Amino acid sequence: MNILLFFILTFFWSSAECSQPHPLDPLTPNELILVRTIVQKSYPVSTNGPSLTFQYVGLDEPNKPLILSWISSNTNTNTNDKTKSLPPRRAFVIARFQKQSLEITVDLSTHSIISTKVYEGHGYPMFTFGERSRAKQLPFSYEPFKESLRKRDLNISQVLCVTLAIGWFGEAKTKRTAKITCFYTNGSVNLYVRPLEGVAALVDVDDMKIVSYSDRYVVPVPKAEGTEYRASKLNPPFGPKLKGVAVTQHGGPGFTIDGHSISWANWVFHLGFDVRAGAVISLASIYDLEKKKYRQVLYRGFLSEEFTPYQDPTEEWYYRTLFDSGEFGFGQYMSSLQPFTDCPANAAFLDAYYAGSDGTPVKITNAFCIFEKYAGDIMWRHTETAIPDEVITEVRPDASLMVRMVSTVGNYDYVIDWEFKPSGSIKLGVGLTGTLLVKAGEYTNTDQIKEDIYGTLLADNTIGVYHDHFLTYYLDLDIDGVANSFVKSNLETVRVKGHTSPRKSYWTVVSETAKTEADARINLGFKPSELVVVNPNKKTKPGNKIGYRLVPGSVVHPLLVTDDYPQIRAAFTNYNVWVTPYNKSEKWASGLFVDRNRGDDTLAVWSLRDREIENKDIVLWYTMGVHHVPSQEDFPVMPTLSGGFELRPTNFFESNPVLKIKSPKAAHWPNCTSQH
């Protein structure tokens, strides 16, 4: 069967057959409006103003067996009705109504609410963009704040504020509150490096009023000089000057986008959007040339949480232990990507939509870009010189398909890449850039510092506070089927016994299949090992279990003590690797309600059940991270710090899957010559 035709039958909807979206497509603007209308009928706006806010609106993804059944029926060419197994189209809503958190499931086909639950646990839903915007304006009509500005001789028209989550530090009862901190923009738009240190307001977000205020001390606001980053405002000298690079594709792009379904080379997958996660990759399968069929690799994958604890324990900073996904929404703060800079000239773009505070759709233009990357890398090569009178050189240039998003949560910009390679590998990249969140101080030189300032002195009165980034990924791997196992293959040193060899030692592989969740909790870096998700029910011709291997990036472990409150809430970072049995409700490593929660609904808690994971439908969770000691090169804006990891086929194919790949036709440039 033609590969493209197979792909179409497997993943695409024909407009002639069905006008409904793919069952994993994100909610459309019309669907968001419908959800808003349905929910507001049951929870009408009060006469005193809005009493209903939409904290989260997303696809209530169909149960996995329903999706797999739908795929199966749509690949059956003998089936005339390709849509008869269409899963129900539903939305999941978290709303605030009369100071309660509601979990609402809406059926879009029947235009009705099919379930409602009042959340009784600890914690609150993520802040909406509208709530944070309203809260940060409150100080400007608050007289004590105005007095603080007068005391510092600051122009109120050049002050901007931001809304921060404040976490949980053992309080028996909590309210839905947030901290407001402010910055001075006079002379620079780089506000995060010009803080008004010592000044903060505590806001009750439900009542939208200031409930406490502090102005503890006065230190100089870091100067504006040297903080500009806009090209139009920078003064010479400039450099270095980079030459332009062009990518030419004679036959047009090598990928196809139909709705949210994408095909490229030997890959097919679905790209979705979630207001909390951002990009969601589903149904990723790769074509096996030898078996002449697509084979399952990844059912669903996304960034589940990003945890950033700052390391200053003082009154103004101790609470800055932020969960960027669960408290603020990685998808909600996605930036519109800029053609030719964020993404190359050969990129295609997709928009995204989320529900604002009042439920109305908000559009993110160019939320994703998809492009083929040709970076001069080598896919494989070999030069053979051992054959007499002959030199054989075979080289294949590499290419990848990239799916990119950028989420700007306050001062930091996170560049999130999914990279699909013809070899079968999936690489997940993270780039950290943006501006640092700094603390203002009295110091202008390190010689003046006599105590721990919890950071690096970057410029006059400017301290870059030490902090971490932990990114936890949800990876529901289905390696050639749903039933998988997790295998730890430790590399162990063996001493040669007797006099059988001149060697005294060697290393070998000792493999162990994890039986339960406890067996699969791993902190990397202490013992060399190979971590593979295998399908124990299928083997290669030589008898190896087919699988995909986790190739970790930089290994980072938490340095906070385990009973510290931020670490209790972020206990899912205690291990780099977790494996759990698939459970539709277990998708957010930090819990469903993260703001001010107590860490009692996290991956670490679910895993305590120690469920069986051998030959089951399992989910791999992987946490990568960075301990960030700021340096002067990170100021006034930070060059991208890159990291990532790889999911790599391991005995998945019978041999090199790109042995017979065809190299792209070379473009001939006037200044290029080739020698033969």
Side-chain angles (χ1 to χ4, degrees):
M1 182 187 298
N2 177 276
I3 295 177
L4 182 58
L5 176 59
F6 182 93
F7 172 64
I8 292 172
L9 289 172
T10 307
F11 297 100
F12 285 173
W13 287 98
S14 166
S15 59
E17 291 176 329
C18 184
S19 60
Q20 298 192 57
H22 185 292
L24 291 178
D25 277 358
L27 298 176
T28 66
N30 286 338
E31 288 176 325
L32 291 172
I33 292 171
L34 178 59
V35 169
R36 177 179 186 264
T37 301
I38 294 169
V39 173
Q40 284 184 338
K41 284 182 180 179
S42 295
Y43 302 94
V45 175
S46 69
T47 56
N48 297 326
S51 58
L52 172 72
T53 56
F54 292 82
Q55 312 301 131
Y56 173 93
V57 181
L59 177 71
D60 181 28
E61 66 181 80
N63 290 323
K64 187 173 180 179
L66 288 177
I67 292 290
L68 297 179
S69 174
W70 174 80
I71 291 174
S72 177
S73 69
N74 278 269
T75 57
N76 182 357
T77 56
N78 295 321
T79 301
N80 293 323
D81 183 3
K82 303 298 180 188
T83 64
K84 69 176 185 178
S85 61
L86 179 67
R89 186 82 169 156
R90 292 173 178 168
F92 179 66
V93 179
I94 297 177
R96 288 289 288 176
F97 184 71
Q98 297 178 351
K99 299 186 179 182
Q100 290 184 317
S101 296
L102 307 178
E103 301 174 54
I104 304 169
T105 303
V106 177
D107 190 305
L108 296 173
S109 60
T110 62
H111 296 195
S112 62
I113 292 176
I114 59 175
S115 70
T116 301
K117 174 186 174 183
V118 177
Y119 177 68
E120 302 287 355
H122 301 298
Y124 302 96
M126 70 180 194
F127 297 106
T128 67
F129 185 84
E131 286 174 330
R132 292 185 74 192
S133 296
R134 290 176 62 199
K136 71 183 183 181
Q137 294 302 319
L138 294 176
F140 294 95
S141 57
Y142 190 68
E143 190 55 39
F145 178 71
K146 295 179 182 179
E147 177 57 31
S148 295
L149 298 184
R150 287 192 290 268
K151 183 168 62 176
R152 291 165 172 80
D153 196 25
L154 301 178
N155 186 338
I156 193 170
S157 67
Q158 295 174 323
V159 175
L160 293 175
C161 300
V162 299
T163 308
L164 297 176
I166 62 171
W168 172 73
F169 292 88
E171 302 92 336
K173 292 184 178 180
T174 60
K175 289 188 175 183
R176 194 162 176 256
T177 48
K179 201 64 102 35
I180 310 299
T181 61
C182 302
F183 307 86
Y184 200 46
T185 62
N186 181 33
S188 175
V189 297
N190 198 348
L191 69 152
Y192 288 103
V193 299
R194 307 200 67 214
L196 276 61
E197 205 67 50
V199 176
L202 187 69
V203 169
D204 185 311
V205 180
D206 283 330
D207 290 336
M208 205 52 73
K209 66 179 182 181
I210 293 175
V211 293
S212 70
Y213 181 77
S214 63
D215 183 353
R216 298 202 321 126
Y217 55 83
V218 177
V219 295
V221 175
K223 60 186 178 182
E225 181 184 356
T227 65
E228 183 60 71
Y229 56 81
R230 292 171 295 176
S232 61
K233 303 293 183 180
L234 295 174
N235 297 318
F238 297 104
K241 185 176 182 180
L242 304 178
K243 296 290 186 180
V245 176
V247 175
T248 63
Q249 295 179 281
H250 304 297
F255 57 88
T256 301
I257 302 176
D258 190 322
H260 288 265
S261 296
I262 300 170
S263 66
W264 174 78
N266 47 358
W267 279 103
V268 294
F269 60 91
H270 181 276
L271 170 61
F273 167 81
D274 181 86
V275 68
R276 181 164 168 174
V280 180
I281 302 293
S282 303
L283 304 177
S285 296
I286 190 167
Y287 189 78
D288 188 320
L289 190 63
E290 183 171 316
K291 296 182 181 297
K292 295 181 173 60
K293 68 175 184 178
Y294 279 93
R295 300 173 63 192
Q296 297 168 267
V297 176
L298 179 71
Y299 176 73
R300 204 151 170 83
F302 53 86
L303 179 61
S304 181
E305 188 55 88
E306 197 286 331
F307 173 52
T308 303
Y310 284 83
Q311 301 304 310
D312 185 334
T314 60
E315 179 67 24
E316 280 69 34
W317 278 79
Y318 76 90
Y319 62 88
R320 302 188 197 210
T321 55
L322 308 172
F323 294 78
D324 283 342
S325 176
E327 291 173 336
F328 305 117
F330 238 59
Q332 183 171 226
Y333 284 90
M334 283 172 62
S335 297
S336 293
L337 299 175
Q338 304 301 302
F340 307 108
T341 50
D342 282 322
C343 310
N346 61 325
F349 295 85
L350 291 178
D351 301 332
Y353 297 87
Y354 67 91
S357 298
D358 63 353
T360 57
V362 178
K363 181 179 180 180
I364 305 173
T365 303
N366 293 354
F368 302 107
C369 70
I370 301 97
F371 61 93
E372 291 165 280
K373 185 177 79 171
Y374 300 88
D377 295 329
I378 296 172
M379 181 180 294
W380 64 263
R381 82 174 316 279
H382 180 60
T383 295
E384 182 56 71
T385 60
I387 300 173
D389 303 320
E390 192 171 3
V391 175
I392 300 172
T393 298
E394 285 287 319
V395 185
R396 299 294 183 270
D398 205 2
S400 301
L401 184 74
M402 307 293 295
V403 176
R404 174 168 296 168
M405 59 167 274
V406 174
S407 186
T408 304
V409 188
N411 56 300
Y412 259 104
D413 293 62
Y414 296 88
V415 183
I416 307 297
D417 285 337
W418 287 78
E419 180 178 1
F420 295 86
K421 302 185 75 65
S423 63
S425 284
I426 303 174
K427 289 188 172 182
L428 294 95
V430 176
L432 307 178
T433 180
T435 63
L436 295 173
L437 195 62
V438 305
K439 179 179 182 177
E442 298 280 359
Y443 307 108
T444 58
N445 191 279
T446 56
D447 292 340
Q448 303 167 337
I449 302 173
K450 305 302 180 184
E451 75 282 346
D452 193 344
I453 61 171
Y454 316 109
T456 304
L457 186 65
L458 304 174
D460 290 354
N461 313 115
T462 306
I463 300 166
V465 179
Y466 305 142
H467 59 280
D468 301 314
H469 298 274
F470 294 98
L471 297 99
T472 300
Y473 280 84
Y474 172 102
L475 302 162
D476 182 0
L477 291 162
D478 283 356
I479 306 303
D480 227 9
V482 171
N484 288 178
S485 296
F486 181 68
V487 177
K488 298 181 292 181
S489 296
N490 295 321
L491 278 57
E492 299 187 357
T493 300
V494 179
R495 180 171 286 276
V496 176
K497 297 179 180 179
H499 302 283
T500 58
S501 171
R503 289 274 297 275
K504 293 184 178 181
S505 64
Y506 63 95
W507 63 260
T508 190
V509 176
V510 179
S511 296
E512 174 189 355
T513 300
K515 305 290 185 182
T516 68
E517 292 175 271
D519 298 333
R521 299 175 200 144
I522 296 173
N523 267 325
L524 299 167
F526 299 110
K527 181 185 292 187
S529 60
E530 298 272 311
L531 306 177
V532 185
V533 175
V534 303
N535 187 325
N537 311 295
K538 296 182 181 180
K539 296 182 178 181
T540 59
K541 291 176 183 177
N544 295 307
K545 295 174 183 176
I546 67 169
Y548 259 71
R549 174 170 35 130
L550 172 67
V551 183
S554 60
V555 176
V556 174
H557 304 124
L559 297 177
L560 301 181
V561 296
T562 56
D563 62 346
D564 196 354
Y565 293 107
Q567 195 57 39
I568 292 172
R569 300 175 67 214
F572 55 89
T573 66
N574 288 344
Y575 294 94
N576 300 109
V577 176
W578 308 72
V579 178
T580 61
Y582 170 81
N583 184 322
K584 178 185 170 182
S585 67
E586 297 176 2
K587 57 193 297 187
W588 306 116
S590 54
L592 184 59
F593 293 85
V594 180
D595 177 45
R596 309 215 69 188
N597 74 4
R598 304 182 183 187
D600 51 8
D601 177 33
T602 69
L603 169 60
V605 173
W606 312 331
S607 186
L608 290 175
R609 286 174 280 179
D610 200 20
R611 295 161 290 185
E612 293 183 358
I613 57 171
E614 185 179 14
N615 203 13
K616 303 285 186 183
D617 187 359
I618 58 176
V619 175
L620 174 71
W621 305 76
Y622 174 67
T623 296
M624 58 172 288
V626 175
H627 295 308
H628 192 172
V629 178
S631 65
Q632 288 183 239
E633 288 81 2
D634 297 332
F635 182 84
V637 66
M638 179 180 165
T640 300
L641 175 64
S642 298
F645 63 99
E646 181 178 356
L647 300 171
R648 186 179 180 90
T650 301
N651 301 316
F652 185 83
F653 298 102
E654 293 293 341
S655 62
N656 181 351
V658 289
L659 178 67
K660 298 181 181 180
I661 194 165
K662 293 183 178 180
S663 298
K665 185 178 180 181
H668 295 283
W669 299 96
N671 61 339
C672 292
T673 60
S674 60
Q675 296 180 350
H676 299 280

